[in-house]
Amino acid sequence: MTLRMIQVGLGMHGFGVAKAFVAQSPDFKFAGVAEINPDRLNACAEELGVAAANRYTDYNEAFRSCEADAVFVTAASPYHYAICKAALEQGLHVLVEKPFVVDMAEACELVDLAERQGRVLMVSQNYRYINAVRSLKAAIAEAGKPMFADVQFCYDHFGKDYQQTMPNFMLLEMAVHHIDMVRFLFDANIRNVSGHTWNVEGSMYSGHPNVQARMELENGMPVFYLGSLVSKGLATPWEGEWRIQCEHGSVHLADLGQGYGVYVVDAEQNRRFVPYHEGPLPSGKESIHGVLAEFAASIAGGKAPSTSGRDNLQTLATLFAIGDSSSKGAVVAPASYIATR
Ligand SMILES: NC(=O)c1ccc[n+]([C@@H]2O[C@H](COP(=O)([O-])OP(=O)(O)OC[C@H]3O[C@@H](n4cnc5c(N)ncnc54)[C@H](O)[C@@H]3O)[C@@H](O)[C@H]2O)c1
């Protein structure tokens, strides 16, 4: 059965996702689109082939008047909470871009609301659906016990208006991918964090664009993270550069000479390389294709998606814990942020 989707927010990422993923999905068709900027709405809807009657500047009106099954929230991050809440109250299933929301109490409230309404609430943590990330996970599983991980991400980003004023900017907009990857790669939540965030002189951001954190997984394994969105010079790929030290050798997501991908180096210095796109996912299931397929399967079969709102509370809590650790100068436990029924 093809599910009817309303997509809310057709900005740079939202429109790209609509064209390259939602419009191509075998599981969804557009019931409507909502975008607060009317010129943008009409230009994007025209290209997507969405009829004038199904275009809305007010998402509440779209939820009330469109015959739909689900909503994909791709509006700017500070509006995610209000849009998700309205959609769930209307009885719609919800897929929301990362970051889920920008406040922990609101995240917990939405998880409870979705469960009360019996609706799927999923967060699009699309990096889990990248072949290189799947191959990295498989390589770690074969390299013996993981002992520590070291992750770096650096980029010089020109922030959107909403990003320039967003508290915890780097953590919520970018580190959210890497911290969620940590949880996925090691099948573990993060027990405590010690972090530091900071700004630079002349920065366009009021929320800190730099973060450094030491995280401890539930099994005690340490993860060291450095992320920056104000780093001129050599940029790392979006997924970052990773070294996972394992008992029998090291596993890397990096470019160690053959291009960016997964490298496994054993104790005798033998190297194995897995190119970026090689992995278990066929191209039609990579990235947001995979997210949409899992969302549809969950709506159809009832099994909670792997990146459900409830699962994402752990990722989000870790981000807030790092921010608070920085301001308080203390070690903080992410679990202390999660208060659902
Ligand atoms: N998963 C990824 O890899 C990835 C990449 C980029 C962005 N994102 C996320 O996608 C979201 C959108 O990012 P973007 O780059 O498109 O931002 P953007 O600023 O380019 O676009 C945001 C859009 O939301 C619209 N909007 C704001 N309030 C609205 C409302 N009440 N109703 C309808 N539309 C509204 C704006 O008019 C704008 O067109 C953000 O949450 C961002 O973090 C995810």
Short mmCIF file of all heavy atoms in Angstrom, two decimals, residues 182-229:
data_model
loop_
_atom_site.label_atom_id
_atom_site.label_comp_id
_atom_site.label_asym_id
_atom_site.label_seq_id
_atom_site.Cartn_x
_atom_site.Cartn_y
_atom_site.Cartn_z
N VAL A 182 28.04 6.67 17.26
CA VAL A 182 28.72 5.96 18.37
C VAL A 182 27.76 4.93 18.96
O VAL A 182 28.11 3.75 19.14
CB VAL A 182 29.19 6.96 19.47
CG1 VAL A 182 29.61 6.21 20.74
CG2 VAL A 182 30.32 7.84 18.96
N ARG A 183 26.55 5.34 19.25
CA ARG A 183 25.56 4.43 19.86
C ARG A 183 25.26 3.25 18.93
O ARG A 183 25.11 2.11 19.37
CB ARG A 183 24.27 5.19 20.20
CG ARG A 183 24.45 6.26 21.27
CD ARG A 183 23.10 6.86 21.69
NE ARG A 183 22.15 5.84 21.98
CZ ARG A 183 21.01 5.65 21.29
NH1 ARG A 183 20.68 6.44 20.30
NH2 ARG A 183 20.20 4.66 21.60
N PHE A 184 25.20 3.55 17.63
CA PHE A 184 24.90 2.50 16.64
C PHE A 184 26.08 1.54 16.49
O PHE A 184 25.91 0.31 16.52
CB PHE A 184 24.58 3.18 15.29
CG PHE A 184 24.41 2.23 14.14
CD1 PHE A 184 23.36 1.34 14.10
CD2 PHE A 184 25.31 2.24 13.08
CE1 PHE A 184 23.19 0.47 13.02
CE2 PHE A 184 25.16 1.38 12.01
CZ PHE A 184 24.11 0.48 11.98
N LEU A 185 27.28 2.08 16.35
CA LEU A 185 28.46 1.23 16.08
C LEU A 185 28.76 0.27 17.22
O LEU A 185 29.20 -0.85 16.98
CB LEU A 185 29.69 2.11 15.82
CG LEU A 185 29.66 2.92 14.51
CD1 LEU A 185 30.82 3.92 14.48
CD2 LEU A 185 29.74 1.97 13.31
N PHE A 186 28.54 0.74 18.44
CA PHE A 186 28.91 -0.09 19.59
C PHE A 186 27.69 -0.71 20.29
O PHE A 186 27.85 -1.33 21.35
CB PHE A 186 29.77 0.72 20.57
CG PHE A 186 31.04 1.22 19.91
CD1 PHE A 186 31.17 2.54 19.53
CD2 PHE A 186 32.06 0.33 19.60
CE1 PHE A 186 32.31 2.99 18.87
CE2 PHE A 186 33.21 0.77 18.95
CZ PHE A 186 33.34 2.10 18.58
N ASP A 187 26.51 -0.53 19.71
CA ASP A 187 25.28 -1.05 20.33
C ASP A 187 25.23 -0.74 21.82
O ASP A 187 24.95 -1.62 22.65
CB ASP A 187 25.18 -2.58 20.13
CG ASP A 187 24.80 -2.92 18.70
OD1 ASP A 187 23.90 -2.28 18.14
OD2 ASP A 187 25.45 -3.83 18.13
N ALA A 188 25.53 0.50 22.15
CA ALA A 188 25.59 0.86 23.57
C ALA A 188 25.19 2.32 23.76
O ALA A 188 25.45 3.16 22.88
CB ALA A 188 27.01 0.66 24.10
N ASN A 189 24.61 2.59 24.89
CA ASN A 189 24.35 3.98 25.25
C ASN A 189 25.57 4.56 25.95
O ASN A 189 26.51 3.83 26.29
CB ASN A 189 23.11 4.07 26.13
CG ASN A 189 21.85 3.73 25.35
OD1 ASN A 189 21.76 4.05 24.16
ND2 ASN A 189 20.91 3.07 26.00
N ILE A 190 25.53 5.87 26.16
CA ILE A 190 26.67 6.56 26.75
C ILE A 190 26.36 6.81 28.23
O ILE A 190 25.31 7.39 28.56
CB ILE A 190 26.97 7.84 25.95
CG1 ILE A 190 27.49 7.39 24.56
CG2 ILE A 190 27.97 8.72 26.66
CD1 ILE A 190 27.20 8.30 23.44
N ARG A 191 27.26 6.31 29.11
CA ARG A 191 26.97 6.34 30.55
C ARG A 191 27.26 7.70 31.15
O ARG A 191 26.52 8.22 31.96
CB ARG A 191 27.83 5.27 31.24
CG ARG A 191 27.56 5.16 32.71
CD ARG A 191 28.04 3.85 33.27
NE ARG A 191 29.49 3.69 33.16
CZ ARG A 191 30.13 2.53 33.33
NH1 ARG A 191 29.45 1.44 33.60
NH2 ARG A 191 31.43 2.46 33.23
N ASN A 192 28.39 8.28 30.77
CA ASN A 192 28.66 9.64 31.25
C ASN A 192 29.56 10.41 30.30
O ASN A 192 30.23 9.80 29.45
CB ASN A 192 29.18 9.66 32.70
CG ASN A 192 30.48 8.93 32.84
OD1 ASN A 192 31.40 9.17 32.06
ND2 ASN A 192 30.57 8.06 33.82
N VAL A 193 29.52 11.72 30.42
CA VAL A 193 30.29 12.56 29.52
C VAL A 193 30.98 13.67 30.31
O VAL A 193 30.49 14.14 31.33
CB VAL A 193 29.41 13.23 28.44
CG1 VAL A 193 28.64 12.21 27.64
CG2 VAL A 193 28.45 14.27 29.01
N SER A 194 32.12 14.05 29.74
CA SER A 194 32.83 15.22 30.26
C SER A 194 33.15 16.04 29.02
O SER A 194 33.84 15.55 28.12
CB SER A 194 34.07 14.72 30.97
OG SER A 194 34.93 15.78 31.17
N GLY A 195 32.59 17.23 28.92
CA GLY A 195 32.73 17.95 27.65
C GLY A 195 33.11 19.40 27.81
O GLY A 195 33.05 19.99 28.90
N HIS A 196 33.50 19.98 26.69
CA HIS A 196 33.82 21.40 26.67
C HIS A 196 33.36 21.94 25.33
O HIS A 196 33.67 21.36 24.28
CB HIS A 196 35.35 21.56 26.83
CG HIS A 196 35.79 22.97 26.80
ND1 HIS A 196 35.31 23.92 27.67
CD2 HIS A 196 36.67 23.63 25.99
CE1 HIS A 196 35.87 25.08 27.39
NE2 HIS A 196 36.71 24.94 26.37
N THR A 197 32.58 23.02 25.34
CA THR A 197 32.19 23.68 24.09
C THR A 197 32.68 25.11 24.15
O THR A 197 32.81 25.69 25.23
CB THR A 197 30.66 23.66 23.90
OG1 THR A 197 30.05 24.48 24.88
CG2 THR A 197 30.09 22.25 23.96
N TRP A 198 32.99 25.68 23.00
CA TRP A 198 33.49 27.06 23.01
C TRP A 198 33.26 27.76 21.68
O TRP A 198 33.01 27.12 20.67
CB TRP A 198 34.97 27.10 23.39
CG TRP A 198 35.93 26.55 22.36
CD1 TRP A 198 36.70 27.28 21.50
CD2 TRP A 198 36.25 25.17 22.09
NE1 TRP A 198 37.46 26.45 20.71
CE2 TRP A 198 37.20 25.14 21.06
CE3 TRP A 198 35.80 23.95 22.61
CZ2 TRP A 198 37.73 23.96 20.52
CZ3 TRP A 198 36.32 22.78 22.08
CH2 TRP A 198 37.27 22.79 21.06
N ASN A 199 33.35 29.08 21.75
CA ASN A 199 33.17 29.91 20.57
C ASN A 199 34.52 30.48 20.14
O ASN A 199 35.53 30.26 20.83
CB ASN A 199 32.18 31.05 20.86
CG ASN A 199 31.33 31.37 19.65
OD1 ASN A 199 31.77 31.22 18.50
ND2 ASN A 199 30.11 31.83 19.88
N VAL A 200 34.54 31.17 19.01
CA VAL A 200 35.78 31.83 18.57
C VAL A 200 35.48 33.30 18.32
O VAL A 200 34.33 33.67 18.07
CB VAL A 200 36.35 31.19 17.28
CG1 VAL A 200 36.88 29.80 17.54
CG2 VAL A 200 35.30 31.16 16.17
N GLU A 201 36.49 34.12 18.37
CA GLU A 201 36.30 35.55 18.16
C GLU A 201 35.79 35.82 16.74
O GLU A 201 36.26 35.19 15.79
CB GLU A 201 37.66 36.26 18.36
CG GLU A 201 37.51 37.57 19.10
CD GLU A 201 38.87 38.20 19.29
OE1 GLU A 201 39.73 37.57 19.97
OE2 GLU A 201 39.07 39.30 18.75
N GLY A 202 34.82 36.70 16.62
CA GLY A 202 34.30 37.06 15.30
C GLY A 202 33.34 36.04 14.73
O GLY A 202 32.94 36.13 13.56
N SER A 203 32.95 35.04 15.53
CA SER A 203 32.05 33.97 15.06
C SER A 203 30.66 34.52 14.73
O SER A 203 30.17 35.44 15.37
CB SER A 203 31.96 32.93 16.19
OG SER A 203 30.77 32.21 16.12
N MET A 204 30.00 33.93 13.74
CA MET A 204 28.63 34.33 13.40
C MET A 204 27.60 33.65 14.31
O MET A 204 26.42 33.89 14.20
CB MET A 204 28.32 33.99 11.93
CG MET A 204 28.27 32.51 11.65
SD MET A 204 27.63 32.13 9.98
CE MET A 204 28.96 32.70 8.96
N TYR A 205 28.10 32.75 15.19
CA TYR A 205 27.18 31.94 16.00
C TYR A 205 27.09 32.42 17.44
O TYR A 205 28.13 32.77 18.04
CB TYR A 205 27.67 30.47 16.03
CG TYR A 205 27.76 29.89 14.64
CD1 TYR A 205 29.00 29.70 14.02
CD2 TYR A 205 26.61 29.54 13.95
CE1 TYR A 205 29.09 29.17 12.75
CE2 TYR A 205 26.70 29.01 12.67
CZ TYR A 205 27.93 28.83 12.07
OH TYR A 205 28.00 28.32 10.81
N SER A 206 25.86 32.38 18.01
CA SER A 206 25.79 32.63 19.45
C SER A 206 25.93 31.32 20.23
O SER A 206 26.47 31.30 21.32
CB SER A 206 24.50 33.37 19.82
OG SER A 206 23.39 32.67 19.32
N GLY A 207 25.46 30.21 19.65
CA GLY A 207 25.69 28.89 20.26
C GLY A 207 27.08 28.41 19.86
O GLY A 207 27.56 28.73 18.78
N HIS A 208 27.72 27.66 20.73
CA HIS A 208 29.12 27.29 20.48
C HIS A 208 29.30 26.39 19.26
O HIS A 208 28.65 25.35 19.15
CB HIS A 208 29.69 26.62 21.73
CG HIS A 208 29.84 27.56 22.86
ND1 HIS A 208 30.25 27.18 24.12
CD2 HIS A 208 29.63 28.91 22.93
CE1 HIS A 208 30.29 28.23 24.92
NE2 HIS A 208 29.91 29.29 24.22
N PRO A 209 30.22 26.75 18.36
CA PRO A 209 30.45 25.94 17.16
C PRO A 209 31.55 24.88 17.33
O PRO A 209 31.82 24.12 16.39
CB PRO A 209 30.86 26.98 16.11
CG PRO A 209 31.51 28.07 16.91
CD PRO A 209 30.88 28.07 18.27
N ASN A 210 32.20 24.83 18.50
CA ASN A 210 33.26 23.84 18.75
C ASN A 210 32.89 22.97 19.94
O ASN A 210 32.33 23.47 20.92
CB ASN A 210 34.58 24.54 19.10
CG ASN A 210 35.11 25.36 17.96
OD1 ASN A 210 35.46 24.84 16.91
ND2 ASN A 210 35.16 26.68 18.16
N VAL A 211 33.24 21.70 19.86
CA VAL A 211 32.99 20.80 21.00
C VAL A 211 34.09 19.75 21.09
O VAL A 211 34.62 19.28 20.08
CB VAL A 211 31.60 20.10 20.86
CG1 VAL A 211 31.48 19.32 19.57
CG2 VAL A 211 31.36 19.15 22.02
N GLN A 212 34.43 19.48 22.33
CA GLN A 212 35.38 18.38 22.59
C GLN A 212 34.77 17.60 23.74
O GLN A 212 34.24 18.18 24.70
CB GLN A 212 36.74 18.99 22.95
CG GLN A 212 37.79 18.05 23.49
CD GLN A 212 37.73 17.96 24.99
OE1 GLN A 212 37.61 18.97 25.69
NE2 GLN A 212 37.81 16.75 25.50
N ALA A 213 34.75 16.27 23.64
CA ALA A 213 34.10 15.49 24.71
C ALA A 213 34.78 14.15 24.91
O ALA A 213 35.29 13.54 23.95
CB ALA A 213 32.63 15.25 24.37
N ARG A 214 34.79 13.75 26.14
CA ARG A 214 35.18 12.37 26.46
C ARG A 214 33.91 11.69 26.92
O ARG A 214 33.23 12.16 27.85
CB ARG A 214 36.21 12.35 27.59
CG ARG A 214 36.65 10.93 27.96
CD ARG A 214 37.42 10.91 29.27
NE ARG A 214 37.96 9.59 29.53
CZ ARG A 214 37.27 8.57 30.04
NH1 ARG A 214 35.98 8.70 30.33
NH2 ARG A 214 37.84 7.40 30.25
N MET A 215 33.57 10.59 26.25
CA MET A 215 32.35 9.87 26.62
C MET A 215 32.71 8.47 27.09
O MET A 215 33.68 7.89 26.59
CB MET A 215 31.43 9.73 25.38
CG MET A 215 30.86 11.04 24.92
SD MET A 215 30.11 10.92 23.29
CE MET A 215 31.47 11.36 22.25
N GLU A 216 31.94 7.96 28.00
CA GLU A 216 32.17 6.59 28.47
C GLU A 216 30.93 5.76 28.15
O GLU A 216 29.83 6.12 28.55
CB GLU A 216 32.42 6.62 29.98
CG GLU A 216 32.93 5.32 30.53
CD GLU A 216 33.14 5.46 32.04
OE1 GLU A 216 34.07 6.17 32.45
OE2 GLU A 216 32.33 4.86 32.77
N LEU A 217 31.13 4.69 27.38
CA LEU A 217 30.01 3.81 27.07
C LEU A 217 29.59 3.02 28.31
O LEU A 217 30.34 2.96 29.30
CB LEU A 217 30.39 2.83 25.95
CG LEU A 217 30.85 3.41 24.62
CD1 LEU A 217 31.03 2.29 23.59
CD2 LEU A 217 29.86 4.44 24.09
N GLU A 218 28.45 2.36 28.20
CA GLU A 218 27.94 1.56 29.33
C GLU A 218 28.96 0.51 29.80
O GLU A 218 29.00 0.17 30.98
CB GLU A 218 26.66 0.84 28.92
CG GLU A 218 25.46 1.77 28.86
CD GLU A 218 24.34 1.20 28.00
OE1 GLU A 218 24.61 0.43 27.05
OE2 GLU A 218 23.18 1.54 28.27
N ASN A 219 29.78 0.00 28.85
CA ASN A 219 30.76 -1.03 29.23
C ASN A 219 32.09 -0.42 29.67
O ASN A 219 33.07 -1.14 29.86
CB ASN A 219 30.98 -2.02 28.08
CG ASN A 219 31.61 -1.35 26.86
OD1 ASN A 219 31.99 -0.17 26.92
ND2 ASN A 219 31.72 -2.08 25.78
N GLY A 220 32.14 0.89 29.80
CA GLY A 220 33.36 1.56 30.27
C GLY A 220 34.30 2.03 29.17
O GLY A 220 35.27 2.73 29.43
N MET A 221 34.02 1.65 27.91
CA MET A 221 34.93 2.03 26.82
C MET A 221 34.89 3.54 26.59
O MET A 221 33.83 4.13 26.49
CB MET A 221 34.53 1.31 25.53
CG MET A 221 35.57 1.48 24.44
SD MET A 221 34.97 0.88 22.84
CE MET A 221 34.58 2.41 22.03
N PRO A 222 36.08 4.19 26.48
CA PRO A 222 36.07 5.63 26.23
C PRO A 222 36.01 5.98 24.74
O PRO A 222 36.56 5.27 23.90
CB PRO A 222 37.42 6.10 26.82
CG PRO A 222 38.28 4.91 26.82
CD PRO A 222 37.41 3.68 26.81
N VAL A 223 35.31 7.09 24.44
CA VAL A 223 35.23 7.64 23.09
C VAL A 223 35.65 9.11 23.19
O VAL A 223 35.13 9.85 24.04
CB VAL A 223 33.79 7.55 22.53
CG1 VAL A 223 33.72 8.20 21.14
CG2 VAL A 223 33.33 6.10 22.46
N PHE A 224 36.61 9.51 22.35
CA PHE A 224 37.11 10.89 22.36
C PHE A 224 36.61 11.58 21.09
O PHE A 224 36.82 11.07 19.99
CB PHE A 224 38.64 10.89 22.40
CG PHE A 224 39.18 10.09 23.54
CD1 PHE A 224 39.60 8.76 23.36
CD2 PHE A 224 39.23 10.61 24.82
CE1 PHE A 224 40.07 8.00 24.41
CE2 PHE A 224 39.70 9.86 25.89
CZ PHE A 224 40.12 8.54 25.68
N TYR A 225 35.98 12.73 21.27
CA TYR A 225 35.34 13.42 20.13
C TYR A 225 35.79 14.87 20.05
O TYR A 225 35.83 15.57 21.07
CB TYR A 225 33.81 13.36 20.30
CG TYR A 225 33.06 14.07 19.19
CD1 TYR A 225 33.07 13.59 17.89
CD2 TYR A 225 32.34 15.24 19.45
CE1 TYR A 225 32.38 14.24 16.87
CE2 TYR A 225 31.65 15.90 18.44
CZ TYR A 225 31.69 15.39 17.15
OH TYR A 225 31.02 16.04 16.14
N LEU A 226 36.12 15.29 18.84
CA LEU A 226 36.41 16.70 18.59
C LEU A 226 35.61 17.11 17.36
O LEU A 226 35.72 16.46 16.30
CB LEU A 226 37.90 16.92 18.31
CG LEU A 226 38.29 18.33 17.86
CD1 LEU A 226 38.07 19.35 18.98
CD2 LEU A 226 39.74 18.37 17.40
N GLY A 227 34.78 18.15 17.48
CA GLY A 227 33.99 18.60 16.34
C GLY A 227 34.02 20.11 16.22
O GLY A 227 33.98 20.83 17.24
N SER A 228 34.09 20.60 15.00
CA SER A 228 34.13 22.05 14.79
C SER A 228 33.45 22.40 13.48
O SER A 228 33.67 21.75 12.46
CB SER A 228 35.58 22.53 14.76
OG SER A 228 35.61 23.89 14.36
N LEU A 229 32.64 23.45 13.51
CA LEU A 229 32.02 23.96 12.29
C LEU A 229 32.59 25.33 11.91
O LEU A 229 32.02 26.04 11.10
CB LEU A 229 30.50 24.03 12.45
CG LEU A 229 29.78 22.69 12.21
CD1 LEU A 229 28.35 22.72 12.72
CD2 LEU A 229 29.80 22.27 10.74
#
